[in-house]
Amino acid sequence: MKKLGEIALGIVTGIGGFLEAGSIATASQAGSEFGFQLAWVMLLGTASLACLMEMTGRLAAVSHRSYADLMRERFGVRFFLLPLVALLLVSFLSLAAEVGGVAITLEMATGISLRWWAIPVALLGWALLWRGTFGLMEKGTAIFGLVALVFAVGAFKLHPHWPDVAKALLPSTPSHDRARYWYIAVSVLGASISPYLYVFYSAGAIEGGWTVDDLGVNRMTVSLGNIFGGALAICVVVVAAMVLAPGHVKVDSFEPISRMLVTPLGEAGFVLFAATLFVTCFGTTLEIALAMAYLLAEGFGWAWSQNLRPSKDARFSMTYTVAILAAAVPIVLGMNPFALTNIAMVLTAASLPVTVLPLIVLMNDRRILYRDTNGWMSNAALVIISVMAIALFVAAIPLQVTGGG
């Protein structure tokens, strides 16, 4: 029963925690500008993330060490500095975008400028991290995040032609504006395969005390959670395609997105969207801040655990404190959260090789995984993801210039 409970929590986390500022923004842009056409990119991103999370979870369960810890030991401190700096940079940008997402929700609700909300949001997040445990944060984020199911309800109430949606799950070429199409595709992949997700997942496996007996739970949690979460992201594309695309609405802020659920759900749709953006962005704020702390602590051998009192892991606690408070500064200074989100997603996509490529070595090292190294299918999937990561690294910045504006 305990394992079933863990699987159920993993599925709920996938449903309620898959969406955040980056996913909502990029999925809405995809639907509003290209209809259902980019749904296949959502599917590709979901499958890639599931593979990476399964592997980093397996690493942690078998070795009892996190991905960042093993990467630093296997490749050395000098090499580790490259993914460390890259991940801290893109994670910080994403963290600032998520703080901005929460703040803009509060601006919608109160009329008070988001710049006044950034510091209170950061302080509330810090207080929860300082006083809460890993289990409390994980369960709270998952349960409250279920409000994101409103996008699935909205999609079904709009009655799209589902065969057309299914057809869009197969890769296709753009019908117009190739640069813009591929720019949004890269942004969607950056939002779907954010490295902080598998860094956080690997550390969470250590926090949960996983062993080889939990490998089945790992596979089921990753598979079902990502299937449901990915389906929810595709529902955002569907809603945007049905509501925003016919009116040629340009999505360059969260305002037009906030109104797209009004068509299928009435004025309640606006309230539910605001609740979804608030909960998912706030939950992701906590996760990214923790992921940054995990990354530094694991890489440099500090004491770390969200379940320890801050006095027992002072450097770990100080890291997430500085990260979450510093992330509020760009919003206070007037940076546009939506623009910041787009930049963060493209740079996240560009950073993927430094965290994906080392997995090829680690997942085939019998000194670490013993009998649980990758089989040929897992290696084939990892090679495909690695090639895609390199392509994203090469294409991301040029596409930001030519298609991102």
Side-chain angles (χ1 to χ4, degrees):
M1 287 300 293
K2 180 183 177 183
K3 293 187 183 300
L4 288 176
E6 291 176 356
I7 293 171
L9 178 62
I11 295 171
V12 170
T13 303
I15 295 172
F18 200 86
L19 291 184
E20 32 72 44
S23 296
I24 293 173
T26 57
S28 299
Q29 287 179 313
S32 67
E33 297 185 38
F34 295 96
F36 304 143
Q37 271 190 284
L38 283 162
W40 69 271
V41 182
M42 290 286 182
L43 182 62
L44 176 62
T46 300
S48 300
L49 178 62
C51 288
L52 295 172
M53 289 178 70
E54 188 280 327
M55 291 178 195
T56 52
R58 181 162 24 116
L59 268 177
V62 175
S63 68
H64 308 295
R65 298 172 67 186
S66 69
Y67 177 39
D69 183 8
L70 290 167
M71 184 166 36
R72 187 258 308 154
E73 181 185 86
R74 183 68 173 78
F75 297 100
V77 173
R78 289 184 180 180
F79 174 87
F80 179 70
L81 288 176
L82 177 61
L84 175 67
V85 172
L87 261 66
L88 287 178
L89 172 61
V90 298
S91 295
F92 177 77
L93 292 174
S94 298
L95 181 58
E98 299 300 334
V99 171
V102 180
I104 205 165
T105 306
L106 293 170
E107 180 183 80
M108 292 176 189
T110 65
I112 300 173
S113 172
L114 63 91
R115 297 172 67 172
W116 292 101
W117 287 111
I119 295 297
V121 167
L123 287 172
L124 177 60
W126 168 79
L128 290 175
L129 290 174
W130 191 264
R131 299 296 298 176
T133 63
F134 182 84
L136 178 64
M137 192 199 71
E138 182 184 36
K139 292 179 176 66
T141 300
I143 294 170
F144 285 107
L146 285 174
V147 70
L149 286 170
V150 67
F151 278 106
V153 176
F156 279 92
K157 285 184 72 69
L158 287 166
H159 304 293
H161 190 237
W162 290 108
D164 287 346
V165 179
K167 183 180 178 181
L169 295 177
L170 299 175
S172 63
T173 54
S175 57
H176 63 283
D177 199 347
R178 295 174 65 88
R180 182 67 176 173
Y181 178 93
W182 290 113
Y183 163 74
I184 293 178
V186 167
S187 299
V188 167
L189 288 173
S192 302
I193 324 174
S194 295
Y196 88 83
L197 288 166
Y198 42 94
V199 169
F200 180 83
Y201 185 76
S202 172
I206 302 296
E207 296 272 29
W210 282 14
T211 68
V212 290
D213 294 333
D214 294 295
L215 292 181
V217 171
N218 177 46
R219 283 190 293 270
M220 291 293 290
T221 296
V222 166
S223 300
L224 295 177
N226 278 282
I227 286 172
F228 285 110
L232 195 57
I234 291 173
C235 285
V236 179
V237 176
V238 171
V239 173
M242 296 290 290
V243 176
L244 302 180
H248 304 288
V249 176
K250 184 175 178 60
V251 177
D252 54 7
S253 68
F254 284 106
E255 277 71 23
I257 304 174
S258 70
R259 303 301 302 177
M260 67 185 187
L261 285 172
V262 172
T263 298
L265 302 174
E267 284 303 317
F270 173 77
V271 176
L272 290 169
F273 170 82
T276 298
L277 188 63
F278 179 91
V279 170
T280 55
C281 288
F282 191 74
T284 306
T285 295
L286 302 181
E287 291 180 1
I288 297 177
L290 270 182
M292 294 173 72
Y294 285 138
L295 183 65
L296 275 173
E298 294 160 5
F300 292 113
W302 301 344
W304 63 272
S305 175
Q306 181 57 16
N307 296 320
L308 289 176
R309 296 176 60 183
S311 59
K312 300 294 184 182
D313 53 9
R315 286 176 291 190
F316 172 78
S317 302
M318 182 57 66
T319 301
Y320 67 66
T321 299
V322 171
I324 200 168
L325 294 177
V329 174
I331 308 303
V332 172
L333 294 178
M335 289 196 71
N336 184 318
F338 194 89
L340 187 59
T341 298
N342 277 335
I343 293 170
M345 295 307 99
V346 171
L347 291 179
T348 296
S351 73
L352 283 172
V354 297
T355 55
V356 171
L357 293 175
L359 264 179
I360 297 176
V361 175
L362 293 175
M363 296 310 300
N364 289 281
D365 192 333
R366 291 193 175 275
R367 294 172 300 176
I368 297 172
L369 287 168
Y370 307 103
R371 295 178 299 175
D372 294 300
T373 53
N374 272 2
W376 72 268
M377 289 185 66
S378 295
N379 276 328
L382 189 51
V383 168
I384 291 170
I385 295 170
S386 298
V387 171
M388 180 179 70
I390 294 170
L392 290 172
F393 172 76
V394 172
I397 303 303
L399 284 172
Q400 173 70 53
V401 174
T402 59

